[in-house]
Amino acid sequence: MSQQILNALAEINAGVTRERLEVALKEVAIGVANAEKNGEVTLKFKIMPQKNTSGQVNIDATVSFTKPNLKGSTSEVRTDSTPMFVSKFGLSALPEQPGLDFDKSDKVSAIK
């Protein structure tokens, strides 16, 4: 996994989403081992533009899981929303230095 993705996961909801993902993976793996049934963990991102801002997006990060047990399964879905800055350096909760790289149309240039 790239460092930019790991850094963004650490910043979304101040790292709480990453912690929820880690717990979900552990809990589902334990359930699968004990119940000998399949389980599932899903991480989903919904990215929306921030209204009246340039170079910012809002990210809804959803961690959902289904943990098998001997009598069936348990499920949980948690969604966190975080405003993020977009720059040529990636995503960040704070604007990057020396600043965002905007073109003449006041749009963020492509991330490389």
Side-chain angles (χ1 to χ4, degrees):
M1 190 174 293
S2 83
Q3 192 61 43
Q4 282 185 342
I5 293 171
L6 294 173
N7 291 344
L9 263 178
E11 292 197 38
I12 294 173
N13 196 27
V16 173
T17 299
R18 184 190 67 205
E19 291 172 9
R20 286 189 179 137
L21 179 61
E22 290 170 352
V23 169
L25 286 168
K26 181 181 101 176
E27 290 297 316
V28 171
I30 290 169
V32 167
N34 290 338
E36 297 182 350
K37 299 176 188 172
N38 293 343
E40 182 174 281
V41 177
T42 303
L43 175 62
K44 178 181 174 182
F45 296 106
K46 182 177 180 181
I47 304 170
M48 301 148 293
Q50 282 277 16
K51 302 277 189 225
N52 301 319
T53 64
S54 187
Q56 278 189 278
V57 296
N58 198 60
I59 299 179
D60 288 351
T62 301
V63 176
S64 60
F65 68 87
T66 301
K67 175 185 173 181
N69 57 48
L70 297 176
K71 297 181 180 182
S73 64
T74 56
S75 296
E76 185 174 323
V77 177
R78 299 292 297 265
T79 300
D80 301 304
S81 186
T82 306
M84 301 286 282
F85 287 90
V86 182
S87 75
K88 64 182 178 182
F89 305 108
L91 292 169
S92 177
L94 300 172
E96 295 283 344
Q97 295 300 324
L100 298 173
D101 188 18
F102 292 97
D103 64 19
K104 293 178 185 173
S105 66
D106 201 31
K107 302 284 184 188
V108 178
S109 63
I111 298 173
K112 296 178 182 174

